[in-house]
Amino acid sequence: MSILGVFQSYYQTGLLKDTPPSNIAWIGSIQYCLVFFPAFVAGRLFDLGYWPPVFLGCSALLVTATFLIGQCHEYWQFLLCQGFAVGVRAFIGLVAVAYLCIINR
């Protein structure tokens, strides 16, 4: 998560020159928030044994969002791709790894 400052600096000097730094900071803030917020839904699905479809779906979301970040040109596109999509996927990845480690014990 320490890479968010690098993204903000890159966006400020290159892709989003005309966007205020406080708006650019929202991209990383939303991404970081969404790492923890979906626990209410995804945690229960993992406990019920539905982790394979959730994990595969979120893995596809990460790949799609990562490729779409390269196509973004406006602030709202970065906010959707990096802020929301990557944020939600990062949480699911953390839960999946923890869940699989518990099962293998």
Side-chain angles (χ1 to χ4, degrees):
M1 289 307 199
S2 63
I3 193 94
L4 296 176
V6 174
F7 274 112
Q8 179 162 350
S9 175
Y10 178 70
Y11 291 156
Q12 278 180 264
T13 59
L15 299 170
L16 299 173
K17 291 178 193 172
D18 299 329
T19 306
S22 60
N23 286 357
I24 295 173
W26 275 101
I27 297 171
S29 299
I30 289 174
Q31 179 182 348
Y32 190 67
C33 174
L34 289 177
V35 168
F36 300 107
F37 185 70
F40 301 115
V41 176
R44 182 67 178 145
L45 290 174
F46 274 73
D47 289 343
L48 292 174
Y50 294 111
W51 67 269
V54 173
F55 186 68
L56 291 174
C58 287
S59 295
L61 177 64
L62 177 65
V63 171
T64 303
T66 302
F67 283 121
L68 286 176
I69 288 172
Q71 303 299 318
C72 295
H73 296 289
E74 297 194 26
Y75 171 72
W76 67 270
Q77 295 168 338
F78 286 103
L79 189 65
L80 285 176
C81 288
Q82 186 177 349
F84 288 100
V86 175
V88 169
R89 179 6 193 136
F91 166 77
I92 301 300
L94 291 174
V95 170
V97 169
Y99 183 79
L100 293 174
C101 289
I102 291 171
I103 287 177
N104 291 331
R105 282 188 148 225

